[in-house]
């Protein structure tokens, strides 16, 4: 096992990883930007190194500075958290060249799955259902029109290097496809320096369901069931829950086994999330793989009792999975609300600034993952998530009741937060009766 790990991240996930390290008897080295010098995670770490000014490009995204910190601190491994460098295959490669273990997949596996066209081909080879669409990349507009007429409109054009909703265009006929193709190609070239595109049938009003998996370096893989992340706004998740409230047991087993086949075919090690769309007839289709630990991982931890960060560290250190699939049991219902420093009444405008009052809720079945405390300041340089409120109960109704109670208990002043929006969603009749899709926030909450 490692004796010292550097955490190439900030905020709540840095704190989450430090806690896992300390419980495993591992020293944690934090890095921080000038904007984070007074952050709690910096004080909790065994050592902390300032890596530069507030802007991410000069700090948390700056590979030379992070590698220098790792060498000065003499760590054996780097945990990237989520965001920043977590899905940067070049960074994983540099870690390897410097003799530092990257706590995540190999750069090769990250590249294979980071290319959405390649990931789709791996899924097909593993007999995982994909949305009907193009074979490999689209060569040109003529091919796009030909395939669109075969599979039927509407279609969606996506960037091979995209993900998380960037570089996508929907088309409803040959004429709009012409414009969508040009726009998607230009956007992909500009955003990813890679104009490669592919096309799928557009699934209308789907749910977003994802499967948590973990694989070791010897090819053992386990799934930790699914999370439903349908409640999103502009590709930012607001609420996640497990289990998916509309899946029957047979479909759920098929979904989780599909995710395992995909990850094993990709020769992948460490934690991954396999994303699917679920259509209104409960058919599921693979869309993409996230090769990192995700923000919403605590939802899975609550229902399975497993510590996913510890698994990431153990696997990176070369441990084999000593659990069997049947040992991973799913208990009750967990739900997470992401509390952001944003004003839902002003189109979710960011609300950075000092926090003069911060009192987190507690009680049975409540977990709060946060780096925020009274007297701290929410920086405008980084994302606006200030806390994750996670609840665990026996049933969905009880989880919702506990979540509402905990949200009402939360005191965060004077900045605006997404707490009022969460309370509104949790009381919405469509949410309580499981009749939502990914358009819910924009269509029903505007
Ligand atoms: C889709 C889709 C409909 N049909 N693919 C958005 C982010 C990226 N992960 C994939 N996305 C979508 N892909 C097909 N073939 C609809 C979306 C989509 C979406 C997916 C999940 C959650 C929220 C979403 C919001 C808008 C569009």
């Amino acid at each position: 096992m490692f004796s010292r790990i550097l955490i190439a991240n900030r905020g709540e996930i840095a704190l989450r990883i430090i806690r896992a390290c300390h419980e495993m008897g591992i020293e944690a080295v934090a890095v921080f930007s000038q904007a984070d010098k007074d952050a709690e995670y910096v004080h909790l770490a065994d050592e902390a190194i300032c890596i530069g000014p507030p802007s991410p490009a000069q700090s948390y995204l700056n590979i030379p500075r992070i590698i220098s910190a790792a060498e000065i601190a003499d760590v054996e491994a780097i945990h990237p958290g989520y965001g920043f460098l977590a899905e940067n295959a070049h960074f994983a490669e540099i870690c390897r060249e410097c003799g530092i273990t990257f706590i995540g997949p190999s750069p090769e596996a990250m590249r294979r799955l980071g290319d959405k066209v390649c990931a789709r081909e791996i899924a097909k080879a593993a007999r995982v259902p994909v949305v009907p669409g193009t074979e490999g990349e689209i060569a040109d507009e003529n091919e796009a029109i030909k395939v669109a007429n075969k599979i039927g409109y509407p279609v969606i054009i996506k960037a091979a290097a995209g993900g998380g909703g960037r570089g996508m265009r929907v088309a409803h006929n040959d004429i709009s496809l012409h414009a969508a193709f040009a726009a998607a190609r230009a956007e992909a070239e500009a955003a990813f320096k890679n104009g490669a595109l592919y096309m799928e049938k557009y699934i209308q009003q789907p749910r977003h369901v994802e499967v948590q998996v973990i694989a070791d370096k010897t090819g053992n893989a386990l799934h930790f069931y699914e999370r439903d992340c349908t409640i999103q706004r502009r590709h930012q998740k607001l609420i996640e829950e497990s289990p998916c409230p509309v899946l029957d047991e047979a479909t759920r087993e098929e979904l989780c086994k599909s995710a395992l086949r995909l990850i094993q075919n990709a020769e992948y090690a460490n934690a991954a999330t396999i994303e699917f769309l679920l259509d209104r007839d409960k058919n599921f289709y693979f869309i993409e793989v996230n090769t990192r630990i995700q923000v919403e991982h605590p939802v899975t931890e609550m229902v399975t009792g497993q510590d996913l960060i510890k698994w990431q560290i153990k696997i990176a250190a070369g441990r084999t999975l000593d659990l069997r699939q049947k040992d991973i049991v799913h208990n009750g219902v967990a739900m997470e609300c992401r509390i952001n420093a944003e004003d839902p009444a002003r189109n979710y405008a960011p609300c950075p600034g000092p926090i003069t009052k911060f009192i987190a809720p507690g009680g049975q079945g409540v977990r709060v993952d946060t780096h925020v405390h009274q007297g701290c300041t929410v920086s405008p340089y980084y994302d606006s998530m200030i806390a994750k409120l996670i609840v665990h109960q026996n049933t969905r109704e009880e989880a919702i009741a506990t979540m509402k109670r905990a949200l009402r208990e939360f005191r965060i002043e004077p900045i605006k937060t997404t707490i009022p929006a969460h309370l509104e969603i949790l009381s919405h009749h469509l949410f309580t009766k499981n009749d939502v899709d990914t358009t819910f926030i924009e269509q029903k909450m505007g």
Side-chain angles (χ1 to χ4, degrees):
M1 185 42 66
F2 307 119
S3 54
R4 240 164 118 75
I5 289 175
L6 180 135
I7 300 155
N9 215 302
R10 64 178 299 281
E12 72 85 21
I13 193 64
L15 198 48
R16 169 76 188 82
I17 298 164
I18 292 170
R19 287 172 170 153
C21 287
H22 286 171
E23 289 178 18
M24 295 172 84
I26 299 170
E27 288 182 342
V29 177
V31 294
F32 62 98
S33 75
Q34 286 159 7
D36 283 330
K37 67 176 172 32
D38 300 318
E40 195 55 33
Y41 80 89
V42 171
H43 300 294
L44 260 178
D46 299 282
E47 191 177 332
I49 299 175
C50 182
I51 50 168
S55 93
Q58 294 184 83
S59 52
Y60 303 105
L61 284 173
N62 192 296
I63 296 176
R65 289 179 183 192
I66 287 170
I67 295 289
S68 301
E71 294 193 323
I72 290 164
D74 197 23
V75 299
E76 299 150 274
I78 296 183
H79 196 306
Y82 52 70
F84 297 123
L85 298 170
E87 293 179 273
N88 185 319
H90 176 62
F91 178 61
E93 213 159 53
I94 294 197
C95 287
R96 181 159 70 190
E97 282 162 12
C98 295
I100 301 165
T101 303
F102 177 81
I103 302 175
S106 69
E108 294 78 19
M110 202 191 284
R111 278 211 180 89
R112 274 197 289 283
L113 294 175
D115 179 326
K116 312 298 167 195
V117 170
C118 180
R120 199 173 133 87
E121 296 307 315
I122 293 170
K124 283 192 209 166
R127 294 173 294 108
V128 174
V130 299
V131 194
T134 42
E135 286 276 339
E137 278 178 39
I138 316 178
D140 53 31
E141 207 187 298
N142 289 335
E143 188 198 343
I145 290 183
K146 210 171 76 195
V147 177
N149 282 282
K150 196 177 95 200
I151 62 179
Y153 286 101
V155 297
I156 183 166
I157 298 178
K158 300 182 177 182
R166 292 179 306 164
M168 305 187 329
R169 285 289 184 288
V170 178
H172 293 270
N173 51 54
D174 288 358
I175 291 166
S176 69
L177 180 57
H178 175 82
F181 189 86
R185 175 140 284 169
E187 196 170 312
E189 289 281 6
F192 318 114
K193 298 179 186 74
N194 173 1
L197 302 174
Y198 64 110
M199 188 171 72
E200 292 174 348
K201 179 147 186 87
Y202 183 62
I203 308 292
Q204 308 206 44
Q205 300 178 313
R207 293 183 76 108
H208 171 125
V209 184
E210 57 186 33
V211 179
Q212 176 71 58
V213 300
I214 289 242
D216 68 22
K217 293 178 184 177
T218 70
N220 301 309
L222 295 168
H223 73 76
F224 292 67
Y225 300 94
E226 81 285 6
R227 296 182 288 259
D228 187 307
C229 310
T230 300
I231 303 296
Q232 317 200 351
R233 180 185 173 274
R234 300 194 180 167
H235 304 295
Q236 294 296 314
K237 293 167 184 166
L238 285 171
I239 301 181
E240 305 98 347
E241 62 184 286
S242 183
C244 168
V246 301
L247 273 189
D248 59 73
E249 267 314 309
T251 311
R252 185 178 196 215
E253 181 156 331
E254 273 306 301
L255 176 83
C256 294
K257 284 186 171 164
S258 290
L260 279 184
R261 285 200 304 277
L262 196 162
I263 218 64
Q264 283 180 307
N265 256 38
E267 295 182 45
Y268 185 98
N270 220 287
T273 300
I274 323 301
E275 293 188 1
F276 296 88
L277 297 178
L278 190 66
D279 73 13
R280 288 198 271 184
D281 301 323
K282 313 283 157 73
N283 300 303
F284 63 83
Y285 308 93
F286 163 74
I287 49 169
E288 53 192 75
V289 179
N290 296 317
T291 62
R292 60 172 191 275
I293 194 75
Q294 288 188 278
V295 173
E296 61 270 29
H297 76 275
V299 169
T300 299
E301 294 185 327
M302 299 297 267
V303 289
T304 62
Q306 296 288 332
D307 187 315
L308 293 170
I309 304 287
K310 287 184 187 168
W311 275 119
Q312 285 196 289
I313 295 170
K314 288 186 239 179
I315 285 162
R319 280 264 302 267
T320 52
L321 286 166
D322 51 7
L323 279 180
R324 312 250 164 142
Q325 188 63 56
K326 68 168 170 46
D327 299 325
I328 304 175
V329 286
H330 191 290
N331 273 310
V333 173
M335 195 173 277
E336 173 179 277
C337 286
R338 295 192 192 188
I339 298 174
N340 298 340
E342 294 170 358
D343 185 357
R346 286 184 23 250
N347 204 24
Y348 292 79
C351 295
I355 295 183
T356 56
K357 189 166 198 169
F358 187 88
I359 305 170
Q364 167 79 329
V366 175
R367 167 174 170 181
V368 181
D369 279 19
T370 184
H371 57 294
V372 164
H373 53 87
Q374 208 144 298
C376 82
T377 294
V378 179
S379 167
Y381 291 97
Y382 312 112
D383 90 25
S384 60
M385 194 178 74
I386 54 173
K388 305 189 297 201
L389 174 55
I390 308 112
V391 302
H392 184 212
Q393 286 295 0
N394 289 319
T395 66
R396 189 167 190 268
E397 290 66 35
E398 291 167 297
I400 292 172
T402 300
M403 184 66 87
K404 284 160 84 170
R405 183 274 288 172
L407 286 165
R408 291 187 184 115
E409 238 176 71
F410 229 131
R411 285 285 166 273
I412 305 174
E413 292 172 14
I415 61 168
K416 297 277 192 245
T417 74
T418 46
I419 288 176
H422 285 303
L423 284 167
E424 202 180 326
I425 298 164
L426 293 167
S427 297
H428 199 290
H429 69 284
L430 294 176
F431 180 79
T432 57
K433 70 175 195 197
N434 299 324
D435 191 10
V436 295
D437 60 64
T438 53
T439 66
F440 172 75
I441 298 293
E442 277 101 346
Q443 302 286 319
K444 309 283 179 5
M445 300 287 297

